[in-house]
Amino acid sequence: MKIIIVGASGTMGKYLVTAFEKEHEIIRVGSKSGDVQVDITSPEEIENLFKHVGPFDALISTAGPTYVGPWKKMTDKEFRKGVEGKMMGQINLVLIGQRYINPKGSFTLITGALTHEPQLNFANASAANGAVEGFVRAAAIELENGIRINAVSPTVIEDSPQYFPYFPGEIPTTMKQLEYGFRKSVFGANTGQVIKP
Ligand SMILES: NC(=O)c1ccc[n+]([C@@H]2O[C@H](COP(=O)([O-])OP(=O)(O)OC[C@H]3O[C@@H](n4cnc5c(N)ncnc54)[C@H](OP(=O)(O)O)[C@@H]3O)[C@@H](O)[C@H]2O)c1
């Protein structure tokens, strides 16, 4: 398969690239890194990505910038980081990418347990996740040509120990569990699902 991974240089992305690159053609994307540089907050840059890459079989997004910080410092400006990044960035990957993806292809977006289990400092991610999950369920009944869409929603992951103090009582998702959540979406048959690895 030809698989685009947006966020390929990140903690999740790096692991997924290593897991999938032996058997698949991987196109690595990031705003400052990868085979193609694309800022997902720009619809024009997203359009150029798909024009450049051509038809593909799967798109995985592990790019979802959000504001992480104290509630008291959060204003419209900070909140828009997640709205324009994790929410609209990922939604535009699908709205634009649906015109370039091969029939029976798939989109897999990233959300997170914060949708239903909020933690201090992460309100922006909770809200963006909820929007993306709603979009995934709605897009699944609209996409044509057998194209599927799912979200993967882990809690804090094994390779991000810097976040452990913010997630008291959460058993981290292992990188293997994360990988298999993405495998279920990309190589399985389900659509409109929020996969909790
Ligand atoms: N880490 C966790 O424990 C955890 C748990 C649950 C959910 N999540 C969610 O999973 C996502 C990924 O987490 P992570 O820890 O892997 O993040 P990360 O290590 O910070 O990596 C983020 C990746 O996204 C790319 N990126 C960032 N902003 C971008 C933009 N505007 N346009 C295009 N690419 C962009 C970065 O590449 P460039 O630097 O080149 O832009 C990088 O490859 C986030 O949305 C996070 O909320 C994380």
Side-chain angles (χ1 to χ4, degrees):
M1 277 190 192
K2 183 168 168 183
I3 304 176
I4 300 174
I5 302 187
V6 185
S9 68
T11 310
M12 291 186 183
K14 267 189 294 197
Y15 192 91
L16 296 176
V17 168
T18 305
F20 295 155
E21 70 183 350
K22 288 179 211 82
E23 293 173 9
H24 303 280
E25 180 192 353
I26 307 294
I27 317 290
R28 298 165 181 77
V29 178
S31 71
K32 301 184 282 274
S33 56
D35 305 314
V36 191
Q37 278 86 54
V38 176
D39 181 349
I40 61 168
T41 65
S42 162
E44 292 77 24
E45 290 192 24
I46 292 177
E47 187 88 50
N48 288 338
L49 162 72
F50 292 123
K51 279 188 185 148
H52 176 75
V53 169
F56 61 96
D57 302 299
L59 180 142
I60 289 172
S61 169
T62 56
T66 58
Y67 169 76
V68 180
W71 175 256
K72 283 187 177 164
K73 289 196 175 161
M74 184 136 60
T75 66
D76 177 87
K77 179 171 175 277
E78 284 77 29
F79 211 85
R80 283 185 188 281
K81 186 168 181 195
V83 171
E84 283 154 26
K86 193 165 191 174
M87 178 185 157
M88 283 318 301
Q90 295 200 98
I91 288 174
N92 278 329
L93 285 170
V94 178
L95 292 179
I96 300 169
Q98 66 179 326
R99 299 200 302 273
Y100 296 87
I101 194 167
N102 286 326
K104 298 192 174 174
S106 71
F107 293 98
T108 308
L109 307 183
I110 187 70
T111 61
L114 289 166
T115 316
H116 297 290
E117 296 189 45
Q119 300 288 359
L120 296 174
N121 299 297
F122 287 91
N124 191 213
S126 293
N129 287 351
V132 171
E133 292 180 6
F135 173 77
V136 162
R137 284 187 282 267
I141 62 170
E142 298 273 11
L143 287 167
E144 297 177 340
N145 300 321
I147 295 162
R148 297 178 303 103
I149 181 168
N150 298 294
V152 173
S153 175
T155 186
V156 67
I157 56 169
E158 191 182 19
D159 282 4
S160 293
Q162 72 275 24
Y163 293 134
F164 291 175
Y166 296 99
F167 290 80
E170 289 284 319
I171 298 174
T173 299
T174 67
M175 299 312 286
K176 205 40 124 184
Q177 287 171 319
L178 183 76
E179 174 193 333
Y180 276 74
F182 280 96
R183 281 188 183 278
K184 188 177 270 187
S185 176
V186 176
F187 306 116
N190 284 338
T191 190
Q193 303 293 306
V194 176
I195 297 164
K196 296 180 180 163

